[in-house]
Amino acid sequence: MQKLYESMGISKEVYEYSEKIIASLKSRFDEIDEIAEYNQAKVLIAMQKNKVDANCFSGSTGYGYDDTGRDTLERVYADAFGTEAALVRPQLDCGTHAPADTLAANLLPGDELLSPVGRPYDTLEEVIGIRPSACSLAEYGVSYDEVELLPGGEFDFEGIRRKIKPNTKLITIQRSKGYAMRPTLSCERIGELISFCKSIKPDVICMVDNCYGEFVQRYEPSSFGADMIVGSLIKNPGGGLAPIGGYIAGRRDLVERCGYRLSAPGLGQEVGASLDVKRSLYQGFFLAPTVTAGAVKGAIFAAKLYESLGFEVLPAGDEPRFDIIQAVRLGSGEALCAFCEGIQAGAPVDSYVKPTPAPMPGYDADVIMAAGAFVQGSSIELSADGPMREPYSVYFQGGLTFYNAKTGIMLSLQKILDKGLIKLS
Ligand SMILES: *Cc1c(COP(=O)(O)O)cnc(C)c1O
């Protein structure tokens, strides 16, 4: 094994250091396997109950009327996530489009949207109109308010109570930390927040941006009171096979509105051809529990490895996990670039290219990104990125298998060592 890794440029020193870390993670990894086994059974039961068969995989074109494979897939998602209904479509372009559609479908002029967990993910700022943007909710007369988390990451219950007004129609809760330095929320904590909000305004709709969280725990936020959960198929639930798509799962009346907004009033979920992607959506969903487990193991390995070398990591190596993202505060631009070069070198696609920092719309600093993916932009695949500014944190995620994540992480350390930025003790 060590010889093979050496042929990839990983020194004996790095390999042996990594093996020691992994040996210490055995019981942690066993727990993750148990979660994967539970989720695998859940997905399998949902597929069997809905009698998935070969006909489900055949594509539809044009309007996509009577696409029973599409409708069955939506029932599979609904059953696996414990919801009344689901909208699972290639026409939902990405993880921004799914919540954007949900918000636009369920908020009307005069309604207010509240985020009780601080600022939402960057791309949603323009959807909401926090940053002025054409066709934002703000342009349609939907107002927005937010309550920051308290410094320790706790909910500011008093602040939330004050900000739930008679016209607060919908509450958006982001499960993952995204690119913020705050803790990711467990389903249990999300449940606590939702019951608090509903105790103040029982008819308020609670939506959870579930990106990066699917299958990390045994349940989804829909089992903890969320009226709708939304996410991207080129993250966890697509299992690395889905080439495109998003999902919205939740209460039937709310999901139906999302269907009308996605296509057109009167048409709704009845239209929407699935072309030739259904087999990958089914098979990806089937693999998603184990693919996600591999990504979680990779994140824990990265945390433990870099923590042992004195870097600040979020979450810490021993903390429980509620999403697949690992942040490492690398402290210098050189280390950030070296880390990303290592991840790139460990990818199955485009491994020969060297990532370099470049300007990105919406960011105030250059950003460096490493990704060598089968599906463009897919972040359930091995990937890392970070803005070139203090504190030079990298956000690492994915790897379709734990072994690929492990290779990428070992190479990231190798590149940092090769540049003489640290020494292995
Ligand atoms: C990735 C992500 C999004 C946006 O998804 P895109 O596919 O990049 O549009 C939204 N919210 C969260 C929490 C995410 O992690």
Side-chain angles (χ1 to χ4, degrees), residues 130-399:
I130 300 171
R131 275 186 282 138
S133 181
C135 300
S136 69
L137 292 171
E139 271 198 350
Y140 287 92
V142 173
S143 56
Y144 167 77
D145 209 345
E146 66 188 24
V147 183
E148 279 301 322
L149 292 171
L150 295 174
E154 299 304 310
F155 301 127
D156 177 4
F157 287 114
E158 269 326 296
I160 297 168
R161 184 193 302 281
R162 272 198 307 277
K163 294 217 161 161
I164 296 182
K165 298 173 218 149
N167 68 334
T168 304
K169 171 83 169 294
L170 200 150
I171 287 182
T172 180
I173 300 168
Q174 186 178 305
R175 179 172 176 183
S176 167
K177 65 182 155 307
Y179 297 128
M181 277 304 214
R182 60 115 159 136
T184 289
L185 303 174
S186 66
C187 288
E188 290 76 7
R189 286 195 69 205
I190 290 173
E192 184 194 356
L193 178 59
I194 292 174
S195 3
F196 178 77
C197 295
K198 295 209 176 205
S199 75
I200 296 166
K201 193 167 191 290
D203 63 347
V204 77
I205 300 165
C206 293
M207 177 193 94
V208 174
D209 179 345
N210 206 26
C211 277
Y212 288 130
E214 297 89 355
F215 298 125
V216 175
Q217 294 184 264
R218 282 181 171 73
Y219 297 94
E220 302 302 327
S222 35
S223 300
F224 291 79
D227 299 298
M228 280 182 293
I229 59 173
V230 306
S232 164
L233 302 195
I234 62 168
K235 294 180 180 172
N236 310 15
L241 293 186
I244 190 171
Y247 77 89
I248 296 166
R251 242 168 64 190
R252 186 177 309 283
D253 58 326
L254 304 173
V255 171
E256 268 171 15
R257 290 189 67 94
C258 297
Y260 290 124
R261 182 76 300 154
L262 180 63
S263 57
L267 303 182
Q269 290 183 254
E270 303 275 312
V271 303
S274 47
L275 305 174
D276 285 322
V277 302
K278 271 183 301 182
R279 182 198 307 278
S280 338
L281 301 197
Y282 277 103
Q283 199 172 352
F285 195 55
F286 179 70
L287 292 177
T290 46
V291 170
T292 302
V296 174
K297 288 178 187 174
I300 294 174
F301 169 50
K304 279 283 186 187
L305 181 81
Y306 279 95
E307 199 171 55
S308 77
L309 295 165
F311 292 94
E312 192 188 325
V313 298
L314 184 81
D318 287 328
E319 262 180 80
R321 298 274 151 170
F322 309 117
D323 69 10
I324 64 167
I325 301 178
Q326 182 61 45
V328 183
R329 192 189 272 246
L330 290 164
S332 77
E334 272 179 304
L336 176 54
C337 289
F339 187 104
C340 290
E341 283 166 29
I343 296 301
Q344 188 75 38
V349 179
D350 292 334
S351 61
Y352 57 89
V353 302
K354 182 176 160 183
T356 51
M360 281 270 295
Y363 287 88
D364 55 1
D366 284 1
V367 177
I368 183 161
M369 297 191 157
F374 294 101
V375 172
Q376 188 200 77
S378 166
S379 47
I380 185 64
E381 300 188 49
L382 188 65
S383 46
D385 44 77
M388 293 295 290
R389 59 165 142 75
E390 291 288 341
Y392 296 98
S393 290
V394 74
Y395 296 86
F396 161 83
Q397 65 268 315

Side-chain angles (χ1 to χ4, degrees), residues 2-20:
Q2 187 248 316
K3 285 249 148 52
L4 274 182
Y5 279 129
E6 209 166 280
S7 74
M8 287 191 255
I10 297 165
S11 66
K12 187 158 185 256
E13 188 190 23
V14 166
Y15 173 66
E16 283 173 356
Y17 190 85
S18 302
E19 284 300 295
K20 247 186 261 159

